[in-house]
Amino acid sequence: MTAPSNPRTDLVFLRRRIKPGRTQPVAAASVQAAAPVLARASAPPAQAAQFPPANTSRSAGLVLGRGTTPSSTSARAQRLAARRQKAALEDHEVKLLFPAPGIADVYELNLVDRVLRLSALQSSVGTMVVSGSTAIAWESVRGVTGGKTVDGHKAGTPVETSGNRELVGYNGREALVSLRHVRELRRAIFINRSSSPMGVQLFSGDTVALPPAADGTQMVLLAHRIGNVLELRAEPVPHDWPDIKIWQEFDFSMTHRAPVSSYGR
């Protein structure tokens, strides 16, 4: 049985292959059948716009839940939003402060030049090193308060950071403040009972000094955080005041994890 010699005319895209030497003219019916298809393919954009547009109400990404995106309900997104809001409030708080010189503008904090203010970058990078102090005290934003002498006597409660180091403490005879975790610090004081000056050095290399005790007056260095910056102040107190009296003057109330009697003064 031989296949019919004429090609299919009802299916435009399926045609029997014609062997060489047996070509035949295409029937008029095949042309008429292909005309609608060719007309649609060559239709101008104005005619194509007559078709109903595709549904574009859905977003390109996958949306879970009803009316909310996954990021708006995740715990991480809520923490980031809270941090952004807190940073904005801190920046606004710093803008309300009175003008103060920077650490590069002041050589020494004394009775004339009493205060300087660090920048936000200087307040949060590296470690602030205070040399020459004989005792320190600190208070965290959670109200954890403690004190320590350079000889190793302790009082109150240390503040441990996520870096497994103390927020404020001694390394040898140098007092260190971990500025990476400065947002956990509320304030700290540094007492100097020696005859040598006390010095402050930042990671950037900037330094400032405080004079030793003279004429019955000693300088206490107060570092307190305002918003996202640290402010350093020189506060004069009588030289014969003990550390506990200085705590009371600066309203430090030790959280008694360790007995105050172990402090040594």
Side-chain angles (χ1 to χ4, degrees), residues 151-190:
D151 299 327
H153 299 287
K154 303 177 182 178
T157 309
V159 179
E160 299 290 341
T161 66
S162 57
N164 199 23
R165 59 184 296 185
E166 293 182 354
L167 180 62
V168 183
Y170 274 107
N171 181 19
R173 304 193 68 84
E174 293 181 335
L176 306 180
V177 181
S178 180
L179 297 181
R180 177 184 177 186
H181 309 282
V182 71
R183 293 181 184 274
E184 300 180 32
L185 177 69
R186 181 170 179 243
R187 56 184 179 144
I189 59 173
F190 304 84

Short mmCIF file of all heavy atoms in Angstrom, two decimals, residues 151-190:
data_model
loop_
_atom_site.label_atom_id
_atom_site.label_comp_id
_atom_site.label_asym_id
_atom_site.label_seq_id
_atom_site.Cartn_x
_atom_site.Cartn_y
_atom_site.Cartn_z
N ASP A 151 46.29 47.43 91.97
CA ASP A 151 46.92 46.37 92.76
C ASP A 151 46.09 45.09 92.79
O ASP A 151 46.53 44.11 93.38
CB ASP A 151 47.17 46.85 94.19
CG ASP A 151 48.11 48.05 94.24
OD1 ASP A 151 49.01 48.11 93.38
OD2 ASP A 151 47.93 48.92 95.10
N GLY A 152 44.89 45.11 92.22
CA GLY A 152 44.09 43.89 92.14
C GLY A 152 42.92 43.81 93.09
O GLY A 152 42.17 42.83 93.05
N HIS A 153 42.70 44.79 93.94
CA HIS A 153 41.53 44.78 94.81
C HIS A 153 40.27 45.08 93.99
O HIS A 153 40.29 45.92 93.09
CB HIS A 153 41.69 45.81 95.93
CG HIS A 153 42.88 45.55 96.82
ND1 HIS A 153 42.93 44.53 97.74
CD2 HIS A 153 44.08 46.19 96.90
CE1 HIS A 153 44.08 44.54 98.37
NE2 HIS A 153 44.81 45.55 97.88
N LYS A 154 39.17 44.41 94.35
CA LYS A 154 37.95 44.51 93.55
C LYS A 154 36.76 44.81 94.43
O LYS A 154 36.74 44.52 95.63
CB LYS A 154 37.70 43.19 92.80
CG LYS A 154 38.83 42.75 91.88
CD LYS A 154 38.53 41.40 91.24
CE LYS A 154 39.68 40.94 90.37
NZ LYS A 154 39.40 39.60 89.77
N ALA A 155 35.74 45.37 93.82
CA ALA A 155 34.45 45.60 94.46
C ALA A 155 33.37 45.57 93.40
O ALA A 155 33.65 45.82 92.21
CB ALA A 155 34.44 46.94 95.21
N GLY A 156 32.17 45.27 93.83
CA GLY A 156 31.06 45.27 92.88
C GLY A 156 31.12 44.11 91.90
O GLY A 156 31.62 43.03 92.20
N THR A 157 30.65 44.36 90.68
CA THR A 157 30.48 43.31 89.67
C THR A 157 31.15 43.70 88.37
O THR A 157 30.91 44.81 87.87
CB THR A 157 28.97 43.07 89.41
OG1 THR A 157 28.31 42.87 90.66
CG2 THR A 157 28.76 41.87 88.51
N PRO A 158 31.97 42.82 87.81
CA PRO A 158 32.55 43.11 86.49
C PRO A 158 31.50 42.97 85.40
O PRO A 158 30.50 42.28 85.56
CB PRO A 158 33.65 42.05 86.34
CG PRO A 158 33.19 40.91 87.19
CD PRO A 158 32.45 41.53 88.34
N VAL A 159 31.73 43.66 84.27
CA VAL A 159 30.84 43.58 83.12
C VAL A 159 31.56 42.80 82.03
O VAL A 159 32.53 43.28 81.45
CB VAL A 159 30.45 44.99 82.61
CG1 VAL A 159 29.54 44.88 81.38
CG2 VAL A 159 29.79 45.79 83.71
N GLU A 160 31.12 41.58 81.80
CA GLU A 160 31.71 40.73 80.77
C GLU A 160 31.02 40.99 79.44
O GLU A 160 29.80 41.08 79.36
CB GLU A 160 31.58 39.25 81.15
CG GLU A 160 32.27 38.88 82.44
CD GLU A 160 33.78 38.92 82.34
OE1 GLU A 160 34.29 38.87 81.20
OE2 GLU A 160 34.45 38.99 83.39
N THR A 161 31.81 41.11 78.39
CA THR A 161 31.26 41.36 77.05
C THR A 161 31.19 40.06 76.27
O THR A 161 31.70 39.01 76.71
CB THR A 161 32.14 42.37 76.29
OG1 THR A 161 33.42 41.79 76.04
CG2 THR A 161 32.30 43.64 77.09
N SER A 162 30.59 40.12 75.08
CA SER A 162 30.49 38.94 74.22
C SER A 162 31.85 38.51 73.69
O SER A 162 32.01 37.40 73.21
CB SER A 162 29.55 39.23 73.04
OG SER A 162 30.01 40.35 72.31
N GLY A 163 32.85 39.39 73.76
CA GLY A 163 34.20 39.04 73.35
C GLY A 163 34.98 38.33 74.44
O GLY A 163 36.19 38.15 74.31
N ASN A 164 34.30 37.94 75.53
CA ASN A 164 34.91 37.19 76.64
C ASN A 164 36.02 38.01 77.31
O ASN A 164 37.06 37.48 77.67
CB ASN A 164 35.45 35.84 76.16
CG ASN A 164 35.66 34.88 77.33
OD1 ASN A 164 35.04 35.03 78.37
ND2 ASN A 164 36.54 33.91 77.15
N ARG A 165 35.78 39.30 77.42
CA ARG A 165 36.70 40.18 78.14
C ARG A 165 35.89 41.23 78.88
O ARG A 165 34.72 41.47 78.57
CB ARG A 165 37.69 40.85 77.17
CG ARG A 165 37.03 41.68 76.10
CD ARG A 165 38.03 42.24 75.11
NE ARG A 165 38.95 43.18 75.74
CZ ARG A 165 39.86 43.88 75.08
NH1 ARG A 165 39.99 43.71 73.78
NH2 ARG A 165 40.65 44.72 75.70
N GLU A 166 36.52 41.85 79.86
CA GLU A 166 35.81 42.83 80.66
C GLU A 166 35.61 44.12 79.87
O GLU A 166 36.47 44.53 79.09
CB GLU A 166 36.60 43.13 81.94
CG GLU A 166 36.68 41.96 82.90
CD GLU A 166 37.42 42.31 84.18
OE1 GLU A 166 37.97 43.43 84.24
OE2 GLU A 166 37.44 41.48 85.10
N LEU A 167 34.46 44.74 80.09
CA LEU A 167 34.18 46.01 79.43
C LEU A 167 35.17 47.09 79.88
O LEU A 167 35.68 47.86 79.08
CB LEU A 167 32.74 46.44 79.73
CG LEU A 167 32.27 47.75 79.14
CD1 LEU A 167 32.31 47.70 77.62
CD2 LEU A 167 30.86 48.10 79.62
N VAL A 168 35.44 47.14 81.19
CA VAL A 168 36.45 48.03 81.77
C VAL A 168 37.28 47.20 82.74
O VAL A 168 36.72 46.48 83.57
CB VAL A 168 35.80 49.22 82.50
CG1 VAL A 168 36.88 50.17 83.03
CG2 VAL A 168 34.84 49.97 81.58
N GLY A 169 38.58 47.30 82.64
CA GLY A 169 39.44 46.52 83.52
C GLY A 169 40.89 46.89 83.34
O GLY A 169 41.24 47.78 82.55
N TYR A 170 41.74 46.20 84.10
CA TYR A 170 43.17 46.44 84.04
C TYR A 170 43.86 45.33 83.27
O TYR A 170 43.51 44.15 83.37
CB TYR A 170 43.77 46.51 85.44
CG TYR A 170 43.69 47.89 86.07
CD1 TYR A 170 42.80 48.15 87.11
CD2 TYR A 170 44.53 48.92 85.65
CE1 TYR A 170 42.73 49.40 87.70
CE2 TYR A 170 44.46 50.18 86.22
CZ TYR A 170 43.57 50.42 87.24
OH TYR A 170 43.50 51.67 87.81
N ASN A 171 44.84 45.73 82.49
CA ASN A 171 45.78 44.81 81.88
C ASN A 171 47.17 45.26 82.30
O ASN A 171 47.74 46.18 81.72
CB ASN A 171 45.65 44.80 80.36
CG ASN A 171 46.60 43.82 79.70
OD1 ASN A 171 47.11 42.90 80.35
ND2 ASN A 171 46.85 44.00 78.41
N GLY A 172 47.70 44.61 83.34
CA GLY A 172 48.92 45.13 83.95
C GLY A 172 48.61 46.39 84.73
O GLY A 172 47.76 46.41 85.61
N ARG A 173 49.25 47.48 84.39
CA ARG A 173 49.01 48.74 85.06
C ARG A 173 48.25 49.72 84.19
O ARG A 173 48.12 50.90 84.52
CB ARG A 173 50.34 49.36 85.52
CG ARG A 173 51.17 48.45 86.40
CD ARG A 173 52.29 49.19 87.06
NE ARG A 173 51.80 50.15 88.05
CZ ARG A 173 51.49 49.84 89.32
NH1 ARG A 173 51.59 48.59 89.74
NH2 ARG A 173 51.07 50.78 90.15
N GLU A 174 47.72 49.25 83.08
CA GLU A 174 46.95 50.08 82.18
C GLU A 174 45.47 49.71 82.26
O GLU A 174 45.12 48.52 82.22
CB GLU A 174 47.44 49.94 80.74
CG GLU A 174 48.84 50.49 80.51
CD GLU A 174 49.27 50.36 79.07
OE1 GLU A 174 48.74 49.45 78.38
OE2 GLU A 174 50.12 51.15 78.62
N ALA A 175 44.63 50.72 82.38
CA ALA A 175 43.18 50.50 82.37
C ALA A 175 42.70 50.50 80.93
O ALA A 175 43.10 51.35 80.13
CB ALA A 175 42.47 51.58 83.16
N LEU A 176 41.84 49.54 80.60
CA LEU A 176 41.35 49.37 79.23
C LEU A 176 39.84 49.48 79.19
O LEU A 176 39.14 48.95 80.08
CB LEU A 176 41.78 48.01 78.66
CG LEU A 176 43.28 47.67 78.71
CD1 LEU A 176 43.51 46.29 78.10
CD2 LEU A 176 44.10 48.72 78.00
N VAL A 177 39.35 50.14 78.17
CA VAL A 177 37.90 50.21 77.89
C VAL A 177 37.69 49.65 76.49
O VAL A 177 38.23 50.19 75.51
CB VAL A 177 37.37 51.66 77.97
CG1 VAL A 177 35.86 51.68 77.69
CG2 VAL A 177 37.67 52.26 79.33
N SER A 178 36.93 48.57 76.39
CA SER A 178 36.67 47.93 75.10
C SER A 178 35.64 48.75 74.34
O SER A 178 34.43 48.65 74.61
CB SER A 178 36.20 46.49 75.31
OG SER A 178 35.94 45.86 74.08
N LEU A 179 36.09 49.55 73.39
CA LEU A 179 35.17 50.44 72.68
C LEU A 179 34.28 49.70 71.70
O LEU A 179 33.28 50.26 71.24
CB LEU A 179 35.97 51.52 71.94
CG LEU A 179 36.79 52.46 72.83
CD1 LEU A 179 37.51 53.50 71.99
CD2 LEU A 179 35.91 53.11 73.88
N ARG A 180 34.64 48.49 71.36
CA ARG A 180 33.76 47.70 70.48
C ARG A 180 32.40 47.49 71.13
O ARG A 180 31.38 47.40 70.45
CB ARG A 180 34.42 46.36 70.17
CG ARG A 180 33.58 45.43 69.32
CD ARG A 180 34.26 44.09 69.14
NE ARG A 180 33.43 43.17 68.38
CZ ARG A 180 33.73 41.90 68.16
NH1 ARG A 180 34.86 41.40 68.65
NH2 ARG A 180 32.93 41.13 67.47
N HIS A 181 32.38 47.44 72.45
CA HIS A 181 31.14 47.23 73.20
C HIS A 181 30.76 48.49 73.98
O HIS A 181 30.18 48.41 75.06
CB HIS A 181 31.31 46.05 74.16
CG HIS A 181 31.83 44.81 73.52
ND1 HIS A 181 31.04 43.97 72.76
CD2 HIS A 181 33.08 44.27 73.50
CE1 HIS A 181 31.77 42.96 72.32
NE2 HIS A 181 33.01 43.12 72.74
N VAL A 182 31.08 49.66 73.42
CA VAL A 182 30.87 50.90 74.16
C VAL A 182 29.40 51.16 74.43
O VAL A 182 29.05 51.87 75.38
CB VAL A 182 31.50 52.08 73.37
CG1 VAL A 182 30.69 52.39 72.12
CG2 VAL A 182 31.63 53.32 74.25
N ARG A 183 28.50 50.59 73.63
CA ARG A 183 27.07 50.81 73.87
C ARG A 183 26.59 50.13 75.14
O ARG A 183 25.48 50.40 75.61
CB ARG A 183 26.25 50.31 72.68
CG ARG A 183 26.48 51.12 71.40
CD ARG A 183 25.64 50.61 70.26
NE ARG A 183 25.93 51.31 69.03
CZ ARG A 183 25.37 52.46 68.65
NH1 ARG A 183 24.45 53.00 69.43
NH2 ARG A 183 25.70 53.06 67.52
N GLU A 184 27.41 49.26 75.72
CA GLU A 184 27.06 48.65 77.00
C GLU A 184 27.53 49.50 78.18
O GLU A 184 27.18 49.23 79.32
CB GLU A 184 27.70 47.25 77.10
CG GLU A 184 27.25 46.28 76.01
CD GLU A 184 27.91 44.93 76.16
OE1 GLU A 184 28.18 44.53 77.31
OE2 GLU A 184 28.16 44.27 75.13
N LEU A 185 28.35 50.51 77.89
CA LEU A 185 28.90 51.35 78.95
C LEU A 185 28.04 52.59 79.16
O LEU A 185 27.65 53.25 78.19
CB LEU A 185 30.33 51.77 78.58
CG LEU A 185 31.04 52.72 79.56
CD1 LEU A 185 31.34 52.01 80.87
CD2 LEU A 185 32.31 53.27 78.93
N ARG A 186 27.79 52.90 80.40
CA ARG A 186 27.14 54.18 80.73
C ARG A 186 28.18 55.22 81.12
O ARG A 186 28.19 56.33 80.59
CB ARG A 186 26.14 53.99 81.87
CG ARG A 186 25.41 55.28 82.22
CD ARG A 186 24.26 55.07 83.17
NE ARG A 186 23.64 56.35 83.48
CZ ARG A 186 23.60 56.88 84.70
NH1 ARG A 186 24.13 56.24 85.72
NH2 ARG A 186 23.03 58.06 84.89
N ARG A 187 29.11 54.84 82.02
CA ARG A 187 30.15 55.77 82.43
C ARG A 187 31.24 55.01 83.16
O ARG A 187 31.05 53.86 83.59
CB ARG A 187 29.58 56.87 83.35
CG ARG A 187 28.88 56.31 84.58
CD ARG A 187 28.25 57.38 85.41
NE ARG A 187 27.56 56.80 86.56
CZ ARG A 187 27.52 57.37 87.76
NH1 ARG A 187 28.12 58.53 87.98
NH2 ARG A 187 26.86 56.80 88.76
N ALA A 188 32.38 55.66 83.31
CA ALA A 188 33.51 55.10 84.06
C ALA A 188 34.35 56.26 84.58
O ALA A 188 34.41 57.33 83.96
CB ALA A 188 34.36 54.18 83.18
N ILE A 189 35.00 56.05 85.74
CA ILE A 189 35.89 57.05 86.30
C ILE A 189 37.26 56.42 86.52
O ILE A 189 37.38 55.22 86.77
CB ILE A 189 35.35 57.65 87.62
CG1 ILE A 189 35.14 56.57 88.66
CG2 ILE A 189 34.09 58.45 87.37
CD1 ILE A 189 34.77 57.12 90.04
N PHE A 190 38.29 57.26 86.42
CA PHE A 190 39.68 56.82 86.58
C PHE A 190 40.34 57.76 87.58
O PHE A 190 40.37 58.98 87.39
CB PHE A 190 40.40 56.87 85.23
CG PHE A 190 39.72 56.06 84.15
CD1 PHE A 190 38.68 56.60 83.41
CD2 PHE A 190 40.12 54.76 83.88
CE1 PHE A 190 38.03 55.86 82.43
CE2 PHE A 190 39.49 54.00 82.91
CZ PHE A 190 38.45 54.55 82.18
#
